Amino acid sequence: MVMRTLTDIKEEIDEVSDRRLRVMRKLAEGYDASLAAEHQKLEELVAQLWEEQRNARAMLRFGDRDVIIQRARQEERLSRAA
């Protein structure tokens, strides 16, 4: 999996958030089913981007998740054997 930089993720969050704001303003003028559907998709995309950013921050701070889990399991096995 290729990890994007925090800057790239933040830029995309800003772009999608701006688009979401424009859609919300149009929806405030009057309901449109296609705009409502687009708004929902944008909300989901923003949530995914925030999750990606949290994961990227955790990776930078703590390292690769799989390596951490592998190390914890190995330590657990050693403690059970002792």
Side-chain angles (χ1 to χ4, degrees), residues 40-74:
Q40 182 61 36
K41 288 179 183 176
L42 292 170
E43 286 286 339
E44 292 169 4
L45 181 55
V46 167
Q48 290 172 359
L49 289 168
W50 279 110
E51 180 66 22
E52 182 180 357
Q53 186 181 50
R54 281 190 294 277
N55 289 337
R57 285 182 188 271
M59 175 81 85
L60 287 172
R61 184 170 181 189
F62 301 111
D64 185 26
R65 179 180 184 271
D66 294 333
V67 172
I68 293 170
I69 291 171
Q70 182 181 11
R71 194 174 342 141
R73 288 180 179 155
Q74 185 177 21

Side-chain angles (χ1 to χ4, degrees), residues 8-24:
D8 291 342
I9 298 168
K10 173 78 168 100
E11 287 174 0
E12 188 172 354
I13 289 172
D14 290 343
E15 292 168 9
V16 173
S17 294
D18 287 344
R19 175 67 184 145
R20 180 181 59 177
L21 179 62
R22 288 192 298 275
V23 169
M24 287 177 63

Side-chain angles (χ1 to χ4, degrees), residues 29-42:
E29 295 171 3
Y31 182 79
D32 180 329
S34 64
L35 282 176
E38 182 179 357
H39 178 261
Q40 182 61 36
K41 288 179 183 176
L42 292 170

